Amino acid sequence: MDILDILADKKVLYAEDEKGIRKHITEVLELFFDKVVAVEDGAEAAYEMEVGSYDVLMFDICMPNLDGLEAIKKIRKKDKKIPVVILSAHTEEEYLWKAVELKITKYLVKPYDKQSLVDALKIVALELVDNNLEIQLKNGCIYNPVKKIVCEGSKDIQLTLKESRLLEYFIKRESQSVTFDDIGEYLWDIEMPTKEAIKSVVKELRKKIGKECIKNVYGIGYMLEF
Amino acid sequence: MNFKSLSHCVSVKTKTIVLVLIVIVALSVIFFFIRYLDIKSFARSNQLMELKRVKIVYSQTLKRVKKFYITRGYANINSYGIREAFENGDIKSLHDLSLPRWKIITKENRFLSTFCFYDKYGKLLTYFGKKPQPHLSFFDSLKKPYDGFWYGDKNFFYHTVSEVRDKNSQIIGYVVFVIDPRFFLSQIRKIMNIDAYIYFKDSKHKILFSLKKDLRVEKSIKNPDLLNSKEIKLNGIAFLPYVIIGKGVDRNNDFKIIFLQDISHWKKIVDKAMLQSIIVMILLIIITVVVINYGFDIILRQLDELNSKLVQSQSELRELNTDLQKRVQKEIGLKLKKQKEANEKERILVHQSKLASMGEMIGNIAHQWRQPLTELSSILINMELFFERGKLTKQRLQDKIEDANIQINFMSRTIDDFRNFFSSGKQKELLKVSVPFKKVEKLMSASLKNNNIKLNLDIRDDFDIFVYPNEITQALLNLISNAKDALVQRDIKNACICISSYNDEKSHIIEVRDNAGGIKTDPIEKIFEPYFSTKHATSGTGIGLYMTKIIVEKNNAGKIIASNCDNGAIFKIIFKK
Ligand SMILES: Nc1ncnc2c1ncn2[C@@H]1O[C@H](COP(=O)(O)OP(=O)(O)OP(=O)(O)O)[C@@H](O)[C@H]1O
């Protein structure tokens, strides 16, 4: 079982101004994540955060236009939970303290090796599922975010990418109503899907985890109940 | 030697005392003499005034007396029966008519001795009082009797003559008043309180008039040696005689009015002045003697001391002379040692600065290498992870190896740059200023970039400089890394360092400017002192700017100036054209 599989359906925003490094690391991240968006400075990163939705951030500190820490500060005002990994050449304490204030998941000092990068990604993965690898659902089903499997007694049901993403999105927002728009924006990238498309995904998920888990909120969307 | 100087001094002392005493005595005498003259002249003017007054009193009295008695005479003549009596030669009625008048007049003036009547030939008709001359004396030239002092009939007197005339203005007789000369003396006495004497003397007769009888006075007045203003003594009292010539009716009848002035009062004043002078003089002498005596003792003592000191210092001098050679040698040795020490210090400083810039260089290398190292590591991570997943194709492997080689080449070039910086450039070279600029940019770019600092090169004039290339690079590096430190420490936004080169009329200028807010040290020049640093002990040695200054000013004939502009520090390196 590989915890890193949690990331397999996740989107990461990667900011690094050195072209070479950016290229190599983007290729590496693509091995783990469903989607990798690489940008070359802080300002672009902040813009990307405005227009897209991401599960994980990986930022260099020293970047032109907007320094990585500043960009994170901006993002943190809206999103307090998103895991952030910093990849920096700076070892000065000052930066570390700032990083701590910004609730950084991991601070990687350049040059880093494979192991420390993988470890960092693992911590990120665990954080994404609140360190819970067996999530109890309402009808006695257990969801495994690593394998993306729902266990019902002795029967394992594999979830598709969209389904697992949707389920984890619901889990993160348990007992909160989630709108069609939220779902559409998170699951689809560029063009907004039709309401029908969203409804069909929800319907598929309900089939696998039991109807009672996902409640309809009339006129707005859905809500996950435990 | 000591004794000799002492005796010598004693004689000097006596001489001095004597000299001073003489001066004092002389001064005192002069002083006294001036005082004396002063008193004398005062007395003299006083006396002259007295004389003048006496003269005035006398002449006024004379005038008054004359007028009075002549008027009296005419009054008598014009009174009832007198003129007729004259005309008729009636002596009896003349006498009887005039008697009551005489009685009155004689009461007015006790010195009026005679009231008498003469006929027109001067023959005595009748008289009251003392018996007068039987014949009235006539002046030969005038053929008529005259008022004035006369000597006649063994007597000296004054008389007035009033003419008696008939209707045809023919003289028919004379009315004459005879007045004792003492009357004038009494007037002088009354007004001036002076005893005067009238002395008449011709070849045969001497007559002296005085108000008091005093034989001694009379004797000294009669003395022919008596002279005006020549002091005489009477009864032990000093007098000054004054003589006024009184006019008689003619030369033969001239007489002297003499008075004596008591000058004992003035004498006393002079004596007193003399006494005072003498007392002052004596006091002065005593004081002088004491002071000089005492003062000399002190001076002598000091001289003695000085002398002994002189002797001592002479011997010291001799010692010193003999010692001098040694000392000079010793001093020179010491100087040389100090010089050596200073040189050593300088050497240590240079060494320290070398170390410091080496440290800085290593820091720069670390920065320069961090990026390629990171890239290398990212390549390795990439390959490893792809390999793990069996996705490492041949193509990918080749690409990655190529990428890695590029980075390794870059790193090796970087290390060459730094090595060159420390080894090359032992000779002065003529080079374009853009060369060290480019070099510095290359060496510092990574470090600056990592700190988010922009470096601008602004080569307005690419002039030639004749310098040790690595030294000028080191100077620039020091300035830039100081600016970098300030920018990082103060956490400046939009941090920027600008190095520029330009010409002005007289010089080529290299300028390093930052926007870190400027140098806070006052006076600003202090930052060029060795070991001056405001940084934490671990990060700043305080040698950087000192060495920079040495490098620029000593070795490369430039000048370095630090200043502040409104948002940062400016360092200028100036080369004369
Ligand atoms: N650009 C600058 N802006 C502000 N202050 C400066 C600047 N350059 C130098 N200083 C001041 O001058 C001081 C002396 O500098 P100097 O280079 O001689 O020593 P240092 O930088 O402290 O130590 P080191 O030589 O080891 O780097 C610094 O401590 C700093 O206070």
Side-chain angles (χ1 to χ4, degrees):
Chain A
M1 164 180 126
D2 192 349
I3 295 169
L4 289 170
D5 287 345
I6 296 174
L7 304 175
D9 59 351
K10 300 290 182 291
K11 242 170 110 178
V12 63
L13 179 62
Y14 174 48
E16 162 67 61
D17 62 327
E18 280 300 332
K19 200 174 145 211
I21 300 173
R22 192 168 63 240
K23 182 180 139 210
H24 303 303
I25 296 299
T26 306
E27 281 171 10
V28 166
L29 291 177
E30 274 168 352
L31 291 176
F32 298 97
F33 288 90
D34 175 35
K35 213 156 174 151
V36 181
V37 173
V39 294
E40 54 184 281
D41 65 41
E44 233 179 278
Y47 172 76
E48 268 307 318
M49 278 304 289
E50 286 285 320
V51 298
S53 53
Y54 294 90
D55 300 299
V56 179
L57 304 179
M58 295 187 77
F59 280 17
D60 185 6
I61 288 185
C62 205
M63 291 185 296
N65 296 329
L66 190 65
D67 155 305
L69 287 174
E70 292 297 319
I72 294 165
K73 217 189 226 167
K74 252 179 154 176
I75 291 161
R76 271 278 177 262
K77 274 181 195 151
K78 285 190 188 148
D79 190 336
K80 300 215 163 22
K81 273 193 156 165
I82 188 164
V84 177
V85 176
I86 282 183
L87 311 160
S88 167
H90 288 284
T91 48
E92 287 90 355
E93 263 180 42
E94 205 190 326
Y95 285 101
L96 291 175
W97 279 117
K98 270 194 195 164
V100 168
E101 272 170 35
L102 293 170
K103 298 211 178 60
I104 301 301
T105 305
K106 184 74 190 173
Y107 192 110
L108 279 185
V109 177
K110 289 178 181 175
Y112 40 85
D113 57 12
K114 183 205 105 182
Q115 201 49 54
S116 45
L117 178 67
V118 170
D119 286 350
L121 290 177
K122 275 184 183 163
I123 296 171
V124 168
L126 283 174
E127 202 181 301
L128 281 173
V129 294
D130 284 334
N131 294 310
N132 195 349
L133 295 182
E134 293 190 330
I135 301 155
Q136 201 78 40
L137 295 175
K138 198 172 183 182
N139 55 356
C141 290
I142 293 167
Y143 173 65
N144 184 328
V146 179
K147 291 182 181 158
K148 319 285 183 200
I149 283 174
V150 177
C151 302
E152 203 183 359
S154 56
K155 202 169 84 198
D156 286 358
I157 308 162
Q158 181 70 48
L159 298 187
T160 66
L161 201 80
K162 272 210 168 66
E163 286 161 1
S164 66
R165 260 172 86 80
L166 182 60
L167 182 56
E168 278 172 37
Y169 190 73
F170 275 134
I171 290 167
K172 274 237 173 75
R173 292 157 185 79
E174 58 154 306
S175 310
Q176 282 175 28
S177 46
V178 176
T179 65
F180 291 107
D181 280 356
D182 286 341
I183 295 167
E185 209 173 290
Y186 183 66
L187 288 192
W188 281 267
D189 280 325
I190 306 160
E191 25 65 81
M192 211 41 190
T194 57
K195 221 172 187 177
E196 297 314 310
I198 297 169
K199 274 183 180 166
S200 85
V201 177
V202 173
K203 197 174 151 199
E204 285 303 306
L205 187 60
R206 272 177 174 163
K207 251 190 223 164
K208 287 177 180 169
I209 63 167
K211 218 175 168 171
E212 59 279 17
C213 291
I214 302 169
K215 253 177 73 180
N216 279 323
V217 181
Y218 182 75
I220 298 173
Y222 307 94
M223 184 193 285
L224 183 76
E225 284 188 336
F226 285 96
Chain B
M1 185 172 188
N2 215 341
F3 172 74
K4 206 173 135 196
S5 83
L6 211 81
S7 72
H8 169 73
C9 285
V10 166
S11 85
V12 167
K13 175 173 152 187
T14 356
K15 273 184 204 161
T16 310
I17 291 178
V18 168
L19 194 75
V20 172
L21 289 188
I22 288 170
V23 169
I24 288 175
V25 170
L27 280 176
S28 301
V29 168
I30 290 168
F31 169 73
F32 168 73
F33 188 65
I34 289 169
R35 188 89 194 276
Y36 172 77
L37 284 182
D38 215 35
I39 293 167
K40 198 102 183 259
S41 83
F42 183 67
R44 176 110 193 99
S45 65
N46 218 300
Q47 288 153 5
L48 285 176
M49 230 155 73
E50 205 92 319
L51 184 66
K52 214 166 152 193
R53 279 178 70 202
V54 171
K55 272 183 182 165
I56 289 169
V57 168
Y58 165 70
S59 65
Q60 293 285 336
T61 311
L62 192 65
K63 243 193 233 165
R64 204 159 33 86
V65 167
K66 185 175 170 184
K67 201 176 162 200
F68 182 82
Y69 285 103
I70 286 174
T71 328
R72 276 275 182 283
Y74 285 121
N76 193 54
I77 290 160
N78 291 331
S79 64
Y80 170 77
I82 298 291
R83 193 170 274 117
E84 286 74 23
F86 265 103
E87 277 172 355
N88 304 330
D90 182 355
I91 292 168
K92 192 177 175 304
S93 61
L94 197 61
H95 189 270
D96 291 347
L97 282 170
S98 298
L99 183 63
R101 203 146 286 130
W102 161 251
K103 278 180 182 159
I104 296 166
I105 292 170
T106 197
K107 259 180 215 152
E108 283 174 354
N109 184 353
R110 64 190 175 93
F111 293 102
L112 181 68
S113 56
T114 313
F115 179 29
C116 52
F117 305 86
Y118 294 88
D119 67 9
K120 63 176 170 189
Y121 307 107
K123 193 173 156 274
L124 184 67
L125 298 172
T126 181
Y127 70 94
F128 304 96
K130 258 166 85 183
K131 188 180 185 318
Q133 297 173 278
H135 283 276
L136 198 56
S137 312
F138 280 74
F139 243 140
D140 296 338
S141 54
L142 293 171
K143 299 272 187 238
K144 71 170 199 175
Y146 200 76
D147 310 307
F149 286 92
W150 289 85
Y151 177 80
D153 215 16
K154 292 182 186 147
N155 204 358
F156 189 73
F157 55 86
Y158 176 79
H159 69 190
T160 62
V161 178
S162 310
E163 294 152 351
V164 186
R165 291 170 193 265
D166 65 4
K167 285 162 203 136
N168 306 319
S169 290
Q170 291 300 308
I171 290 174
I172 51 172
Y174 303 94
V175 175
V176 173
F177 291 96
V178 179
I179 295 152
D180 190 318
R182 282 182 301 171
F183 171 68
F184 297 96
L185 300 181
S186 83
Q187 288 297 306
I188 289 169
R189 189 198 175 91
K190 205 165 115 196
I191 294 168
M192 298 193 53
N193 199 23
I194 279 177
D195 283 326
Y197 305 87
I198 288 180
Y199 182 47
F200 172 79
K201 180 181 156 225
D202 66 8
S203 46
K204 287 163 252 161
H205 318 88
K206 290 174 183 168
I207 301 171
L208 180 75
F209 297 93
S210 66
L211 293 174
K212 300 191 287 214
K213 275 268 177 270
D214 186 330
L215 284 174
R216 285 176 60 117
V217 173
E218 282 176 15
K219 194 182 149 210
S220 55
I221 284 175
K222 282 179 188 161
N223 184 349
D225 295 338
L226 185 85
L227 272 176
N228 207 353
S229 309
K230 200 182 153 207
E231 190 185 316
I232 54 166
K233 276 231 159 103
L234 286 174
N235 303 326
I237 297 169
F239 288 94
L240 211 56
Y242 290 98
V243 180
I244 302 167
I245 303 299
K247 292 259 179 263
V249 283
D250 61 9
R251 279 282 268 313
N252 297 327
N253 291 299
D254 281 355
F255 58 98
K256 287 177 184 165
I257 304 168
I258 297 162
F259 64 94
L260 297 174
Q261 196 185 20
D262 181 354
I263 56 164
S264 58
H265 167 65
W266 294 111
K267 267 254 158 20
K268 256 185 226 153
I269 288 176
V270 172
D271 286 351
K272 215 168 129 194
M274 173 93 108
L275 193 71
Q276 277 177 356
S277 301
I278 288 170
I279 288 172
V280 168
M281 190 166 81
I282 289 170
L283 273 175
L284 266 177
I285 286 170
I286 290 170
I287 289 169
T288 311
V289 169
V290 168
V291 167
I292 290 179
N293 203 26
Y294 186 66
F296 252 83
D297 280 354
I298 287 174
I299 289 170
L300 271 184
R301 222 171 299 136
Q302 281 181 354
L303 269 179
D304 257 7
E305 267 169 40
L306 271 179
N307 200 41
S308 61
K309 267 188 198 155
L310 194 71
V311 171
Q312 198 186 328
S313 54
Q314 266 173 350
S315 68
E316 268 173 20
L317 198 67
R318 224 169 293 124
E319 268 171 46
L320 205 76
N321 260 332
T322 55
D323 212 27
L324 202 61
Q325 194 84 17
K326 275 191 226 157
R327 281 178 87 174
V328 164
Q329 254 159 11
K330 207 169 138 201
E331 284 289 315
I332 287 173
L334 229 75
K335 267 256 169 70
L336 280 175
K337 208 171 142 203
K338 264 193 193 147
Q339 183 77 40
K340 235 180 177 172
E341 272 168 17
N343 283 346
E344 180 68 6
K345 233 183 192 166
E346 180 81 26
R347 213 184 58 74
I348 289 172
L349 262 180
V350 170
H351 184 66
Q352 275 181 338
S353 95
K354 265 260 163 68
L355 283 183
S357 46
M358 209 113 102
E360 237 155 66
M361 277 303 142
I362 287 167
N364 285 334
I365 292 172
H367 274 294
Q368 287 292 57
W369 274 17
R370 206 185 295 273
Q371 189 261 330
L373 274 177
T374 309
E375 189 154 349
L376 277 180
S377 78
S378 69
I379 289 169
L380 286 177
I381 293 168
N382 188 296
M383 289 198 299
E384 199 178 343
L385 285 170
F386 273 85
F387 177 72
E388 277 172 11
R389 270 143 233 248
K391 288 181 179 173
L392 187 61
T393 59
K394 197 177 168 197
Q395 182 59 45
R396 175 169 287 274
L397 185 63
Q398 272 171 357
D399 286 352
K400 293 300 152 187
I401 288 172
E402 199 168 308
D403 282 347
N405 273 332
I406 293 171
Q407 293 312 312
I408 288 165
N409 273 333
F410 174 71
M411 287 167 77
S412 122
R413 253 184 290 123
T414 315
I415 217 64
D416 282 347
D417 284 342
F418 285 107
R419 221 188 21 226
N420 280 342
F421 173 72
F422 281 108
S423 58
S424 73
K426 294 269 184 262
Q427 291 228 313
K428 269 195 172 184
E429 284 172 27
L430 193 70
L431 72 161
K432 294 226 170 288
V433 73
S434 55
V435 174
F437 273 28
K438 291 273 161 57
K439 207 162 168 187
V440 165
E441 187 187 26
K442 210 170 179 186
L443 293 176
M444 293 291 290
S445 61
S447 159
L448 293 177
K449 202 174 144 278
N450 281 332
N451 286 295
N452 230 336
I453 296 165
K454 243 165 93 188
L455 178 68
N456 285 336
L457 292 196
D458 177 19
I459 304 167
R460 269 174 267 165
D461 297 301
D462 195 2
F463 48 77
D464 290 324
I465 44 178
F466 186 60
V467 290
Y468 295 99
N470 66 335
E471 285 194 353
I472 210 71
T473 312
Q474 190 187 346
L476 286 173
L477 281 176
N478 279 343
L479 295 180
I480 292 170
S481 74
N482 272 344
K484 184 199 81 184
D485 289 347
L487 287 165
V488 169
Q489 193 197 355
R490 296 175 192 168
D491 200 9
I492 304 293
K493 298 264 137 58
N494 299 321
C496 178
I497 300 171
C498 180
I499 50 179
S500 44
S501 64
Y502 55 89
N503 291 324
D504 69 9
E505 297 112 64
K506 285 180 223 145
S507 30
H508 301 302
I509 297 166
I510 296 173
E511 189 181 285
V512 178
R513 177 196 280 264
D514 62 57
N515 62 348
I519 298 153
K520 302 277 154 56
T521 308
D522 185 45
I524 227 169
E525 290 71 35
K526 225 174 151 167
I527 59 172
F528 292 111
E529 286 170 14
Y531 304 115
F532 176 82
S533 176
T534 60
K535 289 167 198 167
H536 197 265
T538 51
S539 60
T541 57
I543 298 172
L545 283 180
Y546 171 72
M547 264 340 281
T548 305
K549 194 178 170 81
I550 297 273
I551 285 171
V552 169
E553 302 197 342
K554 264 205 181 149
N555 303 0
N556 296 289
K559 203 166 164 357
I560 185 161
I561 300 172
S563 61
N564 284 322
C565 63
D566 44 344
N567 64 352
I570 302 173
F571 286 86
K572 280 184 186 166
I573 298 174
I574 301 167
F575 297 100
K576 280 238 168 68
K577 265 183 183 172

